[in-house]
Amino acid sequence: MSIIDTEAPLHEAHRDNHTHRDVNGGWLRPAVFGAMDGLVSNLALMTGVAGGAVSQQTIVITGLAGLAAGAFSMAAGEYTSVASQRELVEAELDVERVQLRKHPKDEELELAQLYMSRGVESALAHEVARQLSQDPEQALEIHAREELGIDPSDLPSPTVAAVSSFGSFALGAGLPVLPYLLGATALWPAVLLALLGLFACGAVVARVTARSWWYSGLRQLALGAAAAGVTYALGTWFGTALG
């Protein structure tokens, strides 16, 4: 019995069964982890303060201050980090651009040798390198991919990184504060909403991992609960010691 009858079903089967998840996470990973960071840090901050038996107003102000400080810190850190990385990459691209202009034959030979090191026959490697090197911009892109592991046309934006980090952190950090702003007078609604948010974030992260959504969600919930519990205990101890 034939397993594959024609060429077309083979192509369709390969296409249908040879898809991959986004291992880099795309926008999903930084957004979800930014929200997680905001949730855990602000929840822990608020429970730590609440453990010291302070007023409701103090807890709310602490939560809002933590939201603002954390979001601005995340945005500034991401902007600086991505901008520095981009500047480094652009400097390396300038070096490669100069080499391609001054020593085109040496760069062409370097590319051919790279292909040969990967198993391509010598004649074919030299011909491929020759053809690819005819366009300077294409040659720069190929050398950047092969030598630096980057795509010159897809460099990250510092502004996008800063804005997305600010927004995702603020969204996560806002969840523990929300019940108080809606009239809650006790800590437990804030903790409950934050833990539900952590479970949801963990479940979403499962989209870019091999774990099941419930495992990822419960793991993040447990970590967040542990952080809140420890800071609450420390806040209670500090409040008693300093009272």
Side-chain angles (χ1 to χ4, degrees):
M1 182 178 66
S2 174
I3 298 177
I4 300 174
D5 296 330
T6 65
E7 186 177 345
L10 173 61
H11 289 169
E12 291 174 6
H14 184 73
R15 183 177 63 249
D16 293 341
N17 295 287
H18 198 262
T19 57
H20 298 284
R21 286 174 292 184
D22 181 6
V23 295
N24 293 319
W27 62 268
L28 179 65
R29 185 180 183 278
V32 172
F33 279 97
M36 251 185 225
D37 192 9
L39 266 167
V40 174
S41 62
N42 218 29
L43 174 62
L45 179 63
M46 291 174 64
T47 54
V49 171
V54 299
S55 66
Q56 175 185 333
Q57 183 182 24
T58 302
I59 298 175
V60 174
I61 292 174
T62 299
L64 292 175
L67 184 157
F72 280 112
S73 177
M74 284 284 292
E78 279 294 309
Y79 185 91
T80 303
S81 174
V82 174
S84 299
Q85 179 186 10
R86 186 180 180 114
E87 289 163 3
L88 175 60
V89 169
E90 289 174 344
E92 291 300 315
L93 288 176
D94 287 339
V95 171
E96 192 64 35
R97 192 177 283 111
V98 170
Q99 293 300 314
L100 284 167
R101 187 175 67 252
K102 290 185 175 180
H103 309 286
K105 290 300 181 182
D106 290 336
E107 291 294 313
E108 181 181 321
L109 177 61
E110 186 179 82
L111 193 60
Q113 290 174 340
L114 187 146
Y115 290 140
M116 285 188 289
S117 70
R118 296 183 177 179
V120 180
E121 293 180 357
S122 176
L124 179 58
H126 281 85
E127 178 60 19
V128 170
R130 184 191 68 79
Q131 292 187 28
L132 293 177
S133 298
Q134 290 177 351
D135 181 353
E137 286 304 313
Q138 178 177 255
L140 175 64
E141 181 175 337
I142 293 170
H143 278 275
R145 288 177 184 273
E146 298 292 348
E147 296 177 26
L148 303 176
I150 60 172
D151 183 353
S153 63
D154 190 28
L155 298 181
S157 166
T159 302
V160 171
V163 171
S164 60
S165 294
F166 182 96
S168 60
F169 185 97
L171 180 64
L175 279 185
V177 187
L178 186 60
Y180 283 105
L181 298 180
L182 295 178
T185 57
L187 180 64
W188 69 264
V191 173
L192 178 61
L193 183 59
L195 293 179
L196 288 174
L198 285 169
F199 180 85
C201 285
V204 172
V205 168
R207 289 189 57 185
V208 292
T209 67
R211 294 290 186 180
S212 61
W213 64 270
W214 59 266
Y215 175 88
S216 184
L218 287 175
R219 179 176 59 183
Q220 194 58 41
L221 186 151
L223 292 173
V230 169
T231 54
Y232 184 84
L234 289 173
T236 302
W237 183 76
F238 288 141
T240 302
L242 299 175

